[in-house]
Amino acid sequence: MKNGMNASERTFWKKYLAKAKLDLSYAAYTKVQKSWTDENPVCAFNRLYFIREGEGYVRIGDQTYYPKPGDLYLLPAGSDQAYGTISDNTFGKYWCHFSAKIGDLDLFQILQTSPCLKVQNPEELVTAFEQLIAYSQSESLTSEFRAYSILMTFIADFIEQNQSVKLNLTSTPTFEKMNKVLIYMEQHIADNVSVDTLSRIAHYHPNYFINAFKQFTGYSPIQYMNHLRSEKAKDLLMTTELNVSQIADALGMELSYFSRMFREQTGFKPTAFRDLRPKTIDNSE
């Protein structure tokens, strides 16, 4: 996923995925009964299972898995989910149910992963699960913050340690259409791109396009183009010796407008941002 993206695309997607809204339903440790079995077509929430002992199976779609102690399994929302026992030596597992949505989409519809990973530090995960369980049962005003912080760490660790992670840009027609728009904007960063042009690329009416674009990116088209330009400008300021006027020209902007836009986006004047570059050490003396 990372290698196929340029810097602007990575910046967009990492911020977009971080918009996921979490809702923790349950968290517990359970030594399951022999009767533990169920099927859940198109399950509305995610299940996270950390296996500590025993044996059994989980099924995601048409694939059946037999988790081992030390495995962490994610059964993603929107999938057909099933589970059950295969002997008297049943699972002992930490588990939680949660939703993670970006708008109307489930996070793990957009970001597809393999369902399992071998936990690198199992005792640390045990401690984290115990904390999650405690916070989920706490009446403290800050307990929700603490629980969501742990859950967010679970999700980040699962993604980082996963062997197969890819963006599913065809999860909805909107994704495919908007991705074409974002690519076009990236390729025409120095041009005066109109809303009419962008709406035609997405095959939307201009008025509808503006609302759909803002729901998808969190920005209006103009704000997003300025975001792209400020990211490009930061790169040029840090990696080249082009002066501020030349950078403004490269981005198709008047110098005064560029300077004002850059300060609004970053909180720095362009020259002040360049001063943040690490100073090279002269070892010639």
Side-chain angles (χ1 to χ4, degrees):
M1 184 185 74
K2 296 178 181 178
N3 294 335
M5 293 185 182
N6 60 35
S8 294
E9 288 173 328
R10 284 197 300 273
T11 297
F12 168 76
W13 284 109
K14 73 179 183 180
K15 290 184 178 180
Y16 184 78
L17 295 173
K19 293 178 181 179
K21 182 179 179 180
L22 304 183
D23 186 14
L24 177 67
S25 301
Y26 303 100
Y29 180 87
T30 304
K31 176 66 172 175
V32 305
Q33 301 295 316
K34 183 68 166 60
S35 59
W36 181 74
T37 183
D38 201 2
E39 295 188 5
N40 299 274
V42 195
C43 188
F45 53 84
N46 305 281
R47 285 182 165 91
L48 196 63
Y49 291 163
F50 176 37
I51 309 301
R52 293 294 284 163
E53 62 173 305
E55 56 186 8
Y57 73 89
V58 298
R59 189 162 65 246
I60 304 170
D62 58 0
Q63 295 290 317
T64 301
Y65 305 90
Y66 297 90
K68 303 295 183 184
D71 288 349
L72 181 65
Y73 268 79
L74 173 70
L75 284 63
S79 63
D80 295 341
Q81 302 176 8
Y83 51 81
T85 58
I86 58 176
S87 74
D88 292 333
N89 183 24
T90 61
F91 282 145
K93 62 184 177 65
Y94 286 97
W95 58 274
C96 64
H97 296 171
F98 68 95
S99 64
K101 286 186 171 289
I102 304 175
D104 294 331
L105 294 176
D106 292 302
L107 173 63
F108 291 103
Q109 284 181 308
I110 302 167
L111 194 68
Q112 295 183 328
T113 69
S114 61
C116 171
L117 58 85
K118 179 65 70 173
V119 174
Q120 298 175 357
N121 298 296
E123 296 311 314
E124 288 184 10
L125 188 55
V126 166
T127 299
F129 255 112
E130 291 287 354
Q131 292 174 333
L132 181 66
I133 294 165
Y135 287 129
S136 70
Q137 298 171 352
S138 172
E139 296 298 323
S140 167
L141 288 176
T142 61
S143 60
E144 294 286 299
F145 292 112
R146 299 292 187 185
Y148 290 162
S149 175
I150 295 170
L151 184 56
M152 191 68 81
T153 300
F154 283 177
I155 293 171
D157 287 346
F158 191 87
I159 294 169
E160 288 176 354
Q161 297 174 30
N162 208 276
Q163 296 298 309
S164 175
V165 180
K166 64 179 181 178
L167 287 168
N168 179 20
L169 300 182
T170 61
S171 53
T172 69
T174 300
F175 257 81
E176 193 168 3
K177 291 176 179 179
M178 287 301 176
N179 194 51
K180 290 179 180 178
V181 170
L182 299 182
I183 291 171
Y184 182 88
M185 295 175 78
E186 175 77 19
Q187 294 173 340
H188 295 79
I189 195 170
D191 299 336
N192 185 18
V193 179
S194 69
V195 169
D196 284 344
T197 298
L198 298 177
S199 62
R200 283 196 298 272
I201 293 170
H203 303 291
Y204 285 149
H205 186 279
N207 292 339
Y208 179 78
F209 169 77
I210 292 173
N211 289 332
F213 187 90
K214 191 163 188 178
Q215 287 182 354
F216 184 74
T217 65
Y219 300 94
S220 71
I222 292 174
Q223 289 171 333
Y224 185 73
M225 183 60 88
N226 283 340
H227 167 73
L228 286 180
R229 287 169 173 162
S230 68
E231 291 298 312
K232 181 65 175 178
K234 287 194 289 185
D235 181 60
L236 294 173
L237 286 165
M238 287 296 188
T239 62
T240 76
E241 296 304 322
L242 293 174
N243 62 40
V244 174
S245 180
Q246 289 171 320
I247 292 174
D249 287 342
L251 296 174
M253 304 177 74
E254 295 290 336
L255 177 59
S256 59
Y257 181 77
F258 166 72
S259 297
R260 183 169 67 252
M261 180 276 296
F262 188 86
R263 188 168 187 176
E264 289 174 352
Q265 291 281 324
T266 68
F268 293 93
K269 293 180 180 179
T271 50
F273 186 84
R274 172 166 272 166
D275 288 340
L276 298 176
R277 285 192 300 187
K279 299 296 188 293
T280 58
I281 299 174
D282 186 356
N283 293 321
S284 60
E285 294 182 4

